[in-house]
Amino acid sequence: MRLAGESNLTPVPVLAAHVNILIDSGMSQCGIARTAGVSQSTISNIVAGKLRSCLRSKGERILAVRPATIDDQSNKPVLGSARRLQALYAIGHGGTAIAARFDIHRSTVAQIVNGRYGEVNGFIAAQIRDIYTAMSGSPGTSTNALYRARQEGWAPPAAWDDDRLDDPQARPEWTGHCGTDRGWWTHRQQDIPGCCACDEAHAQWKKEHGHLPRPELMAALCASKASASRRGETIAHDGRELLDQGHTFAHAAERLGITTQHLHQELRRHPAPGESEAA
């Protein structure tokens, strides 16, 4: 390489800029080192500006690491773990029941639920995923957990798309129509804790209809309220009938004019007699 006029080194400022991008994406120095196959001290020294040069072979491996590459050993944002535990509280599983069933300390559950941590290590995050999978399908018996969840406005498992619990942009879907005025009325009629998206939608509805004469405004208000009927129960009932007839979830949802996710949510919100006990 020297005879060809090429350098066997990678400029450290280039590596430092890339490492900072990786860190901003949520990766730790240890996680970057593991993914790149270099020592943690190499990454630390790059960040601290202590290295004057770096072998090209190491530099290329570091530059090949993509942002947000999180392995099972790395610390992870606590958001997904907190949502999972809060969802379990919302169906009656308190910290004591969770800790008794799995190898996780009750104080750890409490700290995560209360938002005391910004991150959790990969082992704890994996445990909580397993806990959520095992316990989210059946209700618990803790009235204290139910009360706490209602006071805090924590969404139950049925309101979440399980694949997006770790996504900061994801929002719980309480009603099947959250983010609309119909959703706001559904919250009220079915005694479901309110959500910000529906509050904003109802405020926007009032702003858009505020110019109407009072008779027309009241007629529009009644129509909007009527749209939030017990449709969820009807969807769950009709969905079960279609499934019993041999239709797939996708076909049943298509027949009902809803998404597959919406059908799953309504089936979980409105279990048939005996389903909770069987779970």
Side-chain angles (χ1 to χ4, degrees), residues 1-9 56:
M1 292 181 69
R2 288 180 178 176
L3 288 174
E6 298 179 12
S7 172
N8 194 32
L9 303 174
R56 175 182 286 192

Side-chain angles (χ1 to χ4, degrees), residues 83 92 137 162 201 206 231 279:
R83 283 174 170 174
D162 291 352
K206 291 193 293 184
R231 185 167 180 261

Side-chain angles (χ1 to χ4, degrees), residues 71-96:
D71 60 24
D72 287 340
Q73 299 180 55
S74 299
N75 284 356
K76 295 174 172 58
V78 75
L79 177 65
S81 296
R83 283 174 170 174
R84 288 178 175 88
L85 292 178
Q86 290 166 359
L88 292 181
Y89 269 62
I91 58 173
H93 296 295
T96 300

Side-chain angles (χ1 to χ4, degrees), residues 20-205:
N20 285 330
I21 290 173
L22 299 178
I23 291 173
D24 289 343
S25 76
M27 298 181 69
S28 66
Q29 291 187 15
C30 289
I32 296 169
R34 281 194 301 272
T35 305
V38 302
S39 67
Q40 192 273 332
S41 62
T42 297
I43 303 299
S44 178
N45 288 332
I46 289 173
V47 172
K50 294 181 179 180
L51 284 184
R52 293 167 51 184
S53 60
C54 180
L55 287 174
R56 175 182 286 192
S57 58
K58 287 186 178 181
E60 288 177 344
R61 294 202 300 273
I62 294 170
L63 292 173
V65 179
R66 297 296 89 202
T69 304
I70 307 295
D71 60 24
D72 287 340
Q73 299 180 55
S74 299
N75 284 356
K76 295 174 172 58
V78 75
L79 177 65
S81 296
R83 283 174 170 174
R84 288 178 175 88
L85 292 178
Q86 290 166 359
L88 292 181
Y89 269 62
I91 58 173
H93 296 295
T96 300
I98 293 170
R101 186 166 175 180
F102 291 88
D103 186 21
I104 185 170
H105 200 278
R106 186 181 184 283
S107 65
T108 301
V109 174
Q111 297 281 29
I112 294 173
V113 164
N114 293 333
R116 301 287 176 83
Y117 297 149
E119 293 183 336
V120 291
N121 66 50
F123 177 71
I124 294 293
Q127 274 191 306
I128 292 173
R129 284 197 299 271
D130 291 341
I131 290 169
Y132 181 79
T133 300
M135 302 182 73
S136 61
S138 57
T141 58
S142 172
T143 55
N144 288 337
L146 290 170
Y147 178 78
R148 172 78 188 283
R150 189 170 186 84
Q151 291 296 108
E152 299 287 351
W154 293 338
W160 287 107
D161 179 348
D162 291 352
D163 294 335
R164 298 194 64 199
L165 277 162
D166 296 290
D167 182 358
Q169 302 304 316
R171 295 292 180 268
E173 177 56 77
W174 294 82
T175 66
H177 301 281
C178 283
T180 67
D181 189 63
R182 176 176 179 173
W184 187 86
W185 283 107
T186 304
H187 278 285
R188 294 175 65 85
Q189 290 189 0
Q190 299 189 22
D191 194 27
I192 301 171
C195 70
C196 293
C198 286
D199 289 341
E200 292 171 2
H202 186 62
Q204 181 64 28
W205 187 94

